[in-house]
Amino acid sequence: MTITDPVRYNSLARALHWAIAALILFNLLTGLFGEGFEKIWASMPAHKATGLMILVLSLVRIGWRLSWKTPAYPSGFSPLMRKFAAATHGLLYILMLVLPITGWIFSSAGKWPLSIYGLFDWPKLAVTKDMAVVGLSHEMHEVLGFAFAGLVVLHIGAAFYHHVALKDATLRRML
Ligand code: HEM
Ligand code: HEM
């Protein structure tokens, strides 16, 4: 079996990209707007469980990503564009780990169990509310949550810019 695909990202990479993208969009929406619809649906338990699933899937994805080469860029990709794409993708990968980990840290100091959709409890870390790491994680989660949302908008904008304006194969590589 070859694990590189000359034209598209390989099937596991594509499956993980879209599954994680859907879960992250869910978490950004519930994180940013959850309070607004709290009376209709208290989304925080689902936000936490989904965030922890994102952590697991992102670790699988990064492990898999390190084991193969991405397909060659479509012709017409300037060196600057390559650097820009690599930098934003790198930042996305970092935030895919930092957001769930900071959430896990400060939520471990709370009174609620970290229930994974009522199926089982995720282990809590040995932290208490008075620890500096808990306050720092909470602040990072908020600030980087907004940064993540901005980066995702940029990323989606870039995908459509390539597809619609530049009319190159960038988006098709991920479909
Ligand atoms: C990729 C995964 C995640 C993303 C993108 C994300 C995103 C966000 C965002 C944007 C906010 C709103 C910040 C604000 O307006 O103040 C938020 C709040 C929150 N998140 Fe996450 N989160 C993720 C994972 C987690 C995890 C794993 C947990 C816990 C296990 C968690 C627990 C919370 C809690 C408790 C809040 C409310 C904080 C407050 O109101 O003070 N999140 N999240
Ligand atoms: C919402 C959360 C999303 C996250 C966290 C995310 C993350 C990423 C990451 C890390 C990569 C780099 C893959 C690699 O080379 O290792 C990537 C590639 C890509 N993503 Fe996303 N993505 C998201 C949503 C989307 C959406 C909604 C679209 C389309 C509208 C999209 C289109 C693409 C495309 C076309 C590529 C390939 C870029 C290239 O070949 O250089 N992504 N994504």
Side-chain angles (χ1 to χ4, degrees):
M1 186 188 81
T2 73
I3 53 169
T4 45
D5 182 318
V7 185
R8 291 196 288 170
Y9 280 82
N10 63 51
S11 52
L12 186 60
R14 283 181 274 132
L16 285 168
H17 174 270
W18 293 112
I20 293 172
L23 299 179
I24 287 177
L25 287 176
F26 174 82
N27 258 37
L28 287 174
L29 291 175
T30 49
L32 295 174
F33 307 113
E35 267 182 37
F37 52 82
E38 206 172 24
K39 289 213 174 97
I40 307 165
W41 180 47
S43 60
M44 247 327 124
H47 176 94
K48 293 181 192 174
T50 305
L52 292 165
M53 291 306 98
I54 292 168
L55 177 60
V56 173
L57 289 175
S58 298
L59 287 170
V60 172
R61 179 168 173 194
I62 290 167
W64 177 245
R65 173 68 172 80
L66 295 173
S67 72
W68 53 274
K69 278 197 175 137
T70 53
Y73 280 115
S75 57
F77 244 72
S78 69
L80 186 68
M81 221 184 244
R82 279 161 213 253
K83 279 198 185 126
F84 191 67
T88 45
H89 294 162
L91 275 178
L92 284 168
Y93 279 124
I94 290 170
L95 293 177
M96 280 154 60
L97 297 178
V98 172
L99 257 287
I101 291 171
T102 51
W104 183 15
I105 294 173
F106 78 83
S107 296
S108 291
K111 59 180 173 175
W112 307 106
L114 296 177
S115 170
I116 304 298
Y117 312 111
L119 298 173
F120 63 93
D121 283 353
W122 182 273
K124 280 185 154 189
L125 300 166
V127 289
T128 50
K129 277 189 178 155
D130 52 350
M131 289 181 174
V133 67
V134 171
L136 182 69
S137 300
H138 200 157
E139 275 170 33
M140 282 177 72
H141 197 77
E142 288 187 12
V143 174
L144 295 179
F146 284 102
F148 203 0
L151 205 60
V152 165
V153 169
L154 180 77
H155 178 68
I156 296 173
F160 282 107
Y161 175 68
H162 278 280
H163 195 67
V164 177
L166 301 181
K167 297 192 193 323
D168 65 22
T170 305
L171 182 56
R172 287 198 299 276
R173 284 144 56 89
M174 200 41 108
L175 296 177

